[in-house]
Amino acid sequence: MERLKALARLVPRIVVAVGAGALLGLAFEPHDHPWLAVVAVPLFLAALNGVSVKGGILVGAGFGITYYAVLVPWLSVIGGDAAIALAILEGLFYAVFGALASQALKHKLWMLWIPCLWVGTEFATSSVPFGGFPWGRLAWAFSDSPLGRLASLVGIAGLSFVIALLGVLAYAVLRRRSALGLRVVALVAGVAIVGGSSLMSLSTEGNGKTITAAMVQGNVPGKGLEFLGRARTVTKNHLNATLDLQRQVEAGTQVKPDLVIWPENSTDIDPYKDAETRADIEAAVKAVNVPILVGAVTEGPGENERQTTGIVWDPASGPGQRYAKRHPVPFGEYIPFRDQLLPYIKRLEMVGRQTAPGVGPGLMPINGVTYGDLICFELAYDNVVSDLAKGGAQVLVVQTNNATYGGTGQPEQQFAITRMRAIETGRTVLIASTSGISGVIRPDGAVEHKSGQFVPDVYVASVPVRDGETLATKLGGWPQWLLTGLGIMGAVLALATRRNRRPADPGTPPAATPSAEKVPV
């Protein structure tokens, strides 16, 4: 009976947490209300304040499941069960956060521990299972906000810390228990953070050199899971768009590019082994007479394996440098526990052969400029981007294919993540997509070009070549590791303090105290 009463008392808190999770989901594209994050975090903390560890688990789970349900409904293209499963899985991380944060709120240094725990939670979701799913980081919502500029200094994890801290400061101002002095300090600190970021300016100047690149979006014959059912049509669409570009160059209405970029899956048939696909690519390369970075699915390296690659196809020497995607998508490009799951989940047969991950970063020197190649979802993974930035990439390229999720909000979310990567690394990002969104993002995150979806689009841009590193690039993963470590330390201290606060068991008699007569003098 007492347990039922305790659960009933938790219901209003869970309702508040669910509302906070929904608000946080609306902070991101395609809704794009980033400052809702600073409303959602204090609401979540208010729901957690004063609850037990078990209560924190329930409140945190309600928050996290709702958050991801609102953030990634586009996964329902694969299946409603897949969207629900992902929301529950990611919600479990916030259940752990709720358990720890509910106790950290009782510690005197709670204003430090809470945002550090948030970063630690994002670190966990970005790492496990199967390499993690880093789609729900607070930083991604602020690509179009002055606050996003801080990513050039502290990186994505550091920006998430700042945003969570702003939520903590808002909570400190609004909660009834806060002393006047704490409210004033929190308010001044919040204004200073927001005002300071507004005063920042990011340089877009290069080393004096520019390159001219053409992003080709050839479009696809359909969308959804069957969009590549006519793979040759996709390749010919990109061939025809490239030939049209060359006609414009010859007519003097378009600038001749130094490099042409085709997207991921611009050929879904191995051009090394299929004569017709190879002929289409070579026809395009010979027409423009400059290298084309082709997005191709190749067979191997093992039996029943494939790789998603970027191949530099030169007009004189043919296929050369090759980058294989390092972070294939579980259950999208490969199936974990394949032999065990396939007999029971027939839908997984649509994945086809296992995609084998590549080894090493996509650093590609082409005509004196080092390009850093990223393929689709892997731009959300810190280590993949960091390896390019630290390896000397002067321009970043994203080859992507979002046709499966066209019109669902996923392409807009990915574009926002790409903008944050431009700010973080201080590099121009050139994006080529099969069906959209393709575009050009300047080193300060400003959008020079953004294509529509499911339309052909060819855009030629002259962009700066940059050599210097941002502070975020120099720091690398240190902010994330340090903040996560502090979060873990805060959780341990909070739990230790909780044990000390726990009242003695009323069933245990107090220890006997010696009488005054027996105390030796």
Side-chain angles (χ1 to χ4, degrees), residues 312-380:
V312 179
W313 213 289
D314 188 84
S317 57
Q321 300 173 76
R322 178 176 176 273
Y323 167 65
K325 187 176 185 179
R326 294 168 59 188
H327 235 296
V329 178
F331 302 105
E333 294 176 296
Y334 75 98
I335 307 170
F337 311 113
R338 183 185 184 96
D339 293 339
Q340 291 74 31
L341 293 178
L342 270 181
Y344 301 99
I345 309 175
K346 294 298 182 182
R347 192 189 334 161
L348 293 177
E349 293 176 354
M350 297 178 67
V351 173
R353 293 170 294 167
Q354 295 283 76
T355 297
V359 178
L363 293 166
M364 294 182 169
I366 304 172
N367 295 333
V369 175
T370 301
Y371 296 84
D373 191 19
L374 295 158
I375 300 180
C376 204
F377 276 44
E378 68 178 4
L379 67 91

Side-chain angles (χ1 to χ4, degrees), residues 70 106 181 243 250 256 271 344 354 374 407 427 434 451 460 475:
V70 175
K106 301 170 185 176
L243 295 177
E250 291 171 353
K256 183 178 179 64
Y344 301 99
Q354 295 283 76
L374 295 158
R427 295 291 184 267
T434 50
S451 77
V460 181
L475 291 175

Side-chain angles (χ1 to χ4, degrees), residues 75 78 130 225 227-228 264-265 268 296-298 300 304-309 324-336 338 348-358 375-379 381 399-401 404-405:
L75 200 61
I78 305 297
F130 314 123
L225 292 176
F227 76 96
L228 279 176
E264 177 191 25
N265 294 116
D268 205 33
V297 174
T298 59
N304 200 35
E305 287 185 336
R306 64 187 177 191
Q307 287 188 312
T308 303
T309 66
K325 187 176 185 179
R326 294 168 59 188
H327 235 296
V329 178
F331 302 105
E333 294 176 296
Y334 75 98
I335 307 170
R338 183 185 184 96
L348 293 177
E349 293 176 354
M350 297 178 67
V351 173
R353 293 170 294 167
Q354 295 283 76
T355 297
I375 300 180
C376 204
F377 276 44
E378 68 178 4
L379 67 91
Y381 292 89
Q399 295 178 286
T400 187
N401 165 30
T404 300
Y405 304 108

Side-chain angles (χ1 to χ4, degrees), residues 234-276:
V234 176
T235 304
K236 292 188 184 298
N237 284 353
H238 287 83
L239 164 63
N240 292 333
T242 305
L243 295 177
D244 186 58
L245 167 65
Q246 179 57 24
R247 284 191 286 269
Q248 293 178 44
V249 171
E250 291 171 353
T253 58
Q254 187 57 272
V255 179
K256 183 178 179 64
D258 304 310
L259 174 70
V260 174
I261 303 169
W262 283 13
E264 177 191 25
N265 294 116
S266 48
T267 171
D268 205 33
I269 303 172
D270 190 337
Y272 294 107
K273 298 187 176 183
D274 184 78
E276 183 177 345

